[in-house]
């Protein structure tokens, strides 16, 4: 199928629900995968800036946690990830349903991840002392690691 700009709207409408001859996917599926992939990448990249490395500028400068407490909560989050990895693996391994093994886990964890990201940004850190800020960042980070 050659691409012609003048015939593109006609072919798009014609092959929206069924695949063109010699192809396997209709344009509707291609658009769904493309937009879904952009959404997943957006959430993944946004949350990746919020996950806790020791030199995270967002957490260190914006929230106001000094490097030493930041390193301590980083260590705590790494240690908490050990049992969370086991729990996540158990959930995925024992999910027997018609939607597949990984698909339900991937689909249903996107919503809590987005909610956690919004909560992380709008949490009132300025109302808490250093210990409260550290506890909140640790709790959000554990949530990010699980989902």
């Amino acid at each position: 199928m050659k691409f012609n700009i003048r015939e593109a709207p006609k072919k798009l409408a014609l092959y929206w629900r069924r695949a063109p001859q010699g192809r396997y996917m209709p344009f509707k599926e291609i658009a769904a995968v493309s937009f879904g992939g952009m959404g997943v990448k957006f959430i993944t990249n946004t949350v990746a800036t919020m996950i806790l490395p020791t030199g995270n500028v967002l957490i260190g400068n914006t929230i106001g946690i000094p490097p030493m407490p930041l390193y301590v909560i980083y260590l705590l989050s790494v240690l908490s990830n050990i049992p969370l990895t086991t729990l996540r693996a158990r959930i995925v391994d024992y999910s027997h349903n018609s939607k597949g093994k990984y698909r339900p886990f991937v689909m249903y964890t996107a919503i809590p991840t987005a909610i956690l990201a919004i909560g992380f940004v709008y949490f009132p850190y300025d109302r808490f002392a250093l210990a409260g800020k550290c506890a909140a960042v640790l709790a959000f980070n554990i949530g990010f690691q699980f989902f």
Side-chain angles (χ1 to χ4, degrees):
M1 183 167 84
K2 289 185 174 181
F3 181 75
N4 185 347
I5 194 76
R6 291 182 198 150
E7 295 182 17
K10 285 184 199 174
K11 288 188 178 182
L12 184 66
L14 180 64
Y15 298 118
W16 183 250
R17 295 194 190 279
R18 63 182 176 89
Q21 186 177 1
R23 304 283 176 121
Y24 297 102
M25 290 179 67
F27 291 138
K28 180 180 178 181
E29 291 294 320
I30 294 170
V33 169
S34 300
F35 285 113
M38 284 190 291
V40 167
K41 277 296 193 185
F42 174 74
I43 290 174
T44 305
N45 289 336
T46 303
V47 169
T49 62
M50 296 177 191
I51 288 183
L52 185 66
T54 53
N56 192 323
V57 178
L58 175 70
I59 297 170
N61 293 345
T62 309
I63 297 174
I65 299 176
M68 191 60 177
L70 192 60
Y71 184 68
V72 170
I73 58 176
Y74 170 71
L75 288 176
L76 291 173
S77 74
V78 168
L79 291 174
S80 71
N81 197 24
I82 294 169
L84 285 178
T85 302
T86 306
L87 179 63
R88 237 185 354 254
R90 186 167 180 80
I91 290 170
V92 169
D93 284 344
Y94 289 102
S95 65
H96 300 290
N97 57 33
S98 62
K99 294 179 184 171
K101 189 173 185 177
Y102 298 104
R103 188 174 181 189
F105 190 73
V106 171
M107 286 173 37
Y108 299 134
T109 57
I111 294 169
T113 303
I115 291 170
L116 278 170
I118 292 168
F120 184 85
V121 171
Y122 289 107
F123 191 80
Y125 296 101
D126 56 340
R127 296 183 187 168
F128 294 93
L130 181 61
K133 291 177 185 180
C134 290
V137 168
L138 180 62
F140 279 116
N141 192 43
I142 289 171
F144 285 141
Q145 286 179 356
F146 181 74
F147 294 113

